Amino acid sequence: MPDSPRLPVAARAWMAFAEEAVTNWPLDEPDALDALGAFLESGFIALLGTLDRPVALPG
């Protein structure tokens, strides 16, 4: 992924999101850690897809 001014901001925002999820995830449910991992992975993949999306050209 090419470097851009938005990349560090997005990385810090995702880290804050991940930290909040990890510290507040309900661990008393069955498979809680697997669910947390899947949640974080899907969020990270979505973020990468957004950052790597080509810019829309004016119509």
Side-chain angles (χ1 to χ4, degrees), residues 7-25:
L7 190 57
V9 173
R12 285 192 308 272
W14 190 85
M15 289 301 295
F17 163 77
E19 180 182 345
E20 184 70 20
V22 167
T23 58
N24 292 296
W25 198 261

Side-chain angles (χ1 to χ4, degrees), residues 26-42:
L27 295 176
D28 55 345
E29 299 173 358
D31 299 323
L33 292 178
D34 290 336
L36 173 60
F39 176 72
L40 292 174
E41 181 180 358
S42 66

Side-chain angles (χ1 to χ4, degrees), residues 36-58:
L36 173 60
F39 176 72
L40 292 174
E41 181 180 358
S42 66
F44 188 62
I45 290 170
L47 174 65
L48 290 177
T50 301
L51 291 175
D52 199 30
R53 183 174 58 194
V55 176
L57 298 174

